[in-house]
Amino acid sequence: MLTPTVEHPELDSPQLDSAELESPRLASTTPVDFADTDAARGQYRQVRQDHWNHVARTCVRDRGVGKYYHRRVARILQQIIPRGQRVLELGCGRGDLLAALDPSTGIGVDFSYEMLALARMRHPDLTFIEADVHEIPDHPAFAQPFDFIVLSDLVNDLWDVQETLEKLRKYCTPRTRIVLNIFSNLWQMPLRFAERFKLKEPTLLQNWLLVNDVAALLRLAGFELIRHWEELLWPITTPLWDGLCNRYLVRLWPFRHGGMSHFIVARPAPPAEPQSLPIVSVVVPARNEAGNVEAIFARTPEMGGGTELIFVEGGSSDDTYGAIERAIAAHPERRTKLLKQTGKGKGDAVRLGFANASGEVLMILDADLTVPPEDLPRFYRAIHSGKAEFVNGVRLVYPMEGQAMQMLNLIANKCFGIAFTWLLGQSLKDTLCGTKVLRRSEYEKIVANRAYFGDFDPFGDFDLLFGAAKLNLAMLDLPVRYRQRVYGTTNIQRFRHGWLLVRMTLFAARRLKFV
């Protein structure tokens, strides 16, 4: 097992004197009781503790494969885990990976007391606990749940993977993410070669785990896999070549199958449906849609604790604003708001609507009614049950009505769906369906992180999709039947907007995939 360590120029490894290095226990805060009724398990644990103590004494600084590898792993996890989170790392070693994540609260657990002695010297602002990860003791540091729990290169070395994962549940909220990485078994021989020539830290016999095995163990322990991908095609510092391999080629078929490490993001399986019913805010961007307004009031159902209709009128040339005012007066029983858009584009209208919404569940409904309002309760149930954290409508499953979508648009939408499924690592068959649903709490996180992608999406779809992917939200494609318009014409300009979508996709690839 490679101890998760990242080199920093300002964090040179401290030199301990010989008395400290030979000490049988250094700065231990929690005694480890190795009494175990299962002798084989106890011996397995003792051998590994002795091994990693020896590594701490003899491999004070990374070298060869390990040096580049740990830097790259830290870079990848920095893309997954925002700064300022509560982070727990199991098998933390010297604590350098945990420190690189810049957590608001960082807790590291390891059973190698000599590794932890180094960790405490290198990172005095973090908390390190000496314990076997199978038997994490009660400690004040675990009084609050964590935002992220990291197991980097750990599960291949565990006696009982399922038991360890099961014990993590009590440290999680429904929004906690489990992040782990495991070695590809294709790399066993090259890594043994590197160990023989002292190009990496030595490891003991490892578990033979595939991604499907880990997914099954996560499921048994009460978690569900959100996404997984491969990293590290070339684990040695080689100018230009390592960047080409590890930022680009490893993302592409067939090269990705040669990646050294599989990365996995999981979340706690959704709990039972909560008893309290949230208010649902349905934002309706409306431009030149006067003929559809009355149908929106008549056909949009009440959901959850009540439905709030928020119309954002965008400078129509017909009487859309007046039609909405008259409909509001005619339906005093409905919760409604009418906003006048000052910016341009559907994306701007959606942001204005969400900013003025009072509900916990946020929905988008296109005023052209090509997605029936009667389908919205399906989206609500998917969110409220916890089965998804971001629900995306899909128009490309069921047959469409008449002229609902032109053939060229259909082909383009299918191509974007394929590209985004690859780009985001989760199934996303239809990027441009206007109906998207998420909770306000998740949307606020997207807003806070919006600067990472920039503010140039006139449609609003990509802003939400990119933001949800960056947050590792569990996405769900929900098929809907796509209807043809009965009033008005589309506001989409096929070729100009199509080229803009291509540019946005390429930009997102640099931010999400090729990092």
Side-chain angles (χ1 to χ4, degrees), residues 70 127 157 191 242 306 428 455 505:
H70 292 307
T127 301
D157 212 41
L191 291 175
D242 57 47
L428 200 76
D455 186 6
T505 303

Side-chain angles (χ1 to χ4, degrees), residues 47-330:
V47 167
R48 274 159 170 72
Q49 188 204 32
D50 293 343
H51 169 78
W52 289 110
N53 283 336
H54 176 74
V55 170
R57 290 193 297 269
T58 58
C59 299
V60 177
R61 300 192 67 167
D62 282 332
R63 55 194 173 197
V65 174
K67 186 174 183 178
Y68 179 88
Y69 174 85
H70 292 307
R71 286 179 172 174
R72 184 63 186 164
V73 168
R75 170 67 173 158
I76 294 163
L77 293 188
Q78 286 167 345
Q79 291 294 314
I80 300 170
I81 302 175
R83 293 181 175 181
Q85 304 296 300
R86 282 184 54 83
V87 181
L88 168 65
E89 185 188 2
L90 302 185
C92 64
R94 299 186 307 184
D96 293 345
L97 177 60
L98 183 61
L101 300 177
D102 194 15
S104 60
T105 300
I107 311 296
V109 177
D110 205 299
F111 64 6
S112 169
Y113 49 81
E114 301 216 20
M115 282 288 185
L116 292 184
L118 293 171
R120 294 183 182 109
M121 292 183 64
R122 295 166 71 84
H123 311 293
D125 54 326
L126 302 177
T127 301
F128 297 100
I129 298 171
E130 184 187 332
D132 186 335
V133 298
H134 296 85
E135 302 168 1
I136 299 175
D138 292 332
H139 191 282
F142 299 106
Q144 296 181 7
F146 294 91
D147 301 312
F148 290 87
I149 300 177
V150 176
L151 298 86
S152 181
D153 297 318
L154 178 66
V155 297
N156 284 106
D157 212 41
L158 293 175
W159 173 265
D160 191 325
V161 177
Q162 182 180 340
E163 177 187 343
T164 302
L165 294 174
E166 286 173 345
K167 291 185 176 179
L168 297 183
R169 285 302 302 262
K170 64 181 179 181
Y171 307 125
C172 297
T173 71
R175 301 291 182 260
T176 299
R177 292 297 177 264
I178 308 297
V179 183
L180 57 88
N181 57 287
I182 60 173
F183 279 127
S184 167
N185 293 310
L186 294 175
W187 279 80
Q188 280 199 352
M189 291 302 294
L191 291 175
R192 290 298 180 194
F193 179 85
E195 287 180 15
R196 182 177 179 181
F197 288 92
K198 298 183 179 181
L199 297 175
K200 67 175 287 291
E201 296 165 344
T203 57
L204 301 175
L205 188 63
Q206 301 282 288
N207 301 327
W208 186 284
L209 286 167
L210 304 177
V211 171
N212 287 341
D213 300 323
V214 176
L217 290 167
L218 284 165
R219 188 164 62 251
L220 288 170
F223 297 93
E224 64 178 24
L225 187 147
I226 296 177
R227 65 187 182 105
H228 93 272
W229 68 102
E230 296 78 17
E231 293 280 359
L232 282 152
L233 194 61
W234 185 258
I236 302 173
T237 301
T238 310
L240 300 179
W241 179 247
D242 57 47
L244 174 65
C245 290
N246 297 325
R247 293 185 62 188
Y248 299 101
L249 294 184
V250 77
R251 315 292 179 212
L252 307 174
W253 185 91
F255 304 104
R256 65 183 181 85
H257 295 296
M260 173 188 282
S261 211
H262 298 285
F263 279 73
I264 295 170
V265 178
R267 67 164 185 155
E273 192 167 306
Q275 297 299 312
S276 61
L277 300 178
I279 300 296
V280 179
S281 295
V282 181
V283 173
V284 186
R287 183 171 181 266
N288 297 327
E289 302 287 1
N292 292 323
V293 172
E294 182 58 39
I296 293 171
F297 276 86
R299 295 172 57 188
T300 304
E302 292 289 333
M303 295 169 281
T307 298
E308 174 186 53
L309 284 171
I310 302 177
F311 290 89
V312 184
E313 195 280 323
S316 304
S317 57
D318 65 2
D319 190 30
T320 298
Y321 195 90
I324 298 171
E325 286 184 313
R326 293 189 291 273
I328 291 174

Side-chain angles (χ1 to χ4, degrees), residues 34-42 45:
F34 285 102
D36 200 319
T37 55
D38 186 335
R41 175 175 178 146
R45 183 168 52 182

Side-chain angles (χ1 to χ4, degrees), residues 429-444:
K429 296 184 68 171
D430 187 2
T431 61
L432 293 177
C433 178
T435 307
K436 292 176 171 59
V437 179
L438 72 167
R439 287 187 175 273
R440 171 191 294 278
S441 53
E442 306 295 3
Y443 176 69
E444 290 172 349

Side-chain angles (χ1 to χ4, degrees), residues 355-366:
N356 287 273
S358 58
E360 168 56 22
V361 175
L362 305 179
M363 296 186 173
I364 306 170
L365 175 67
D366 284 346

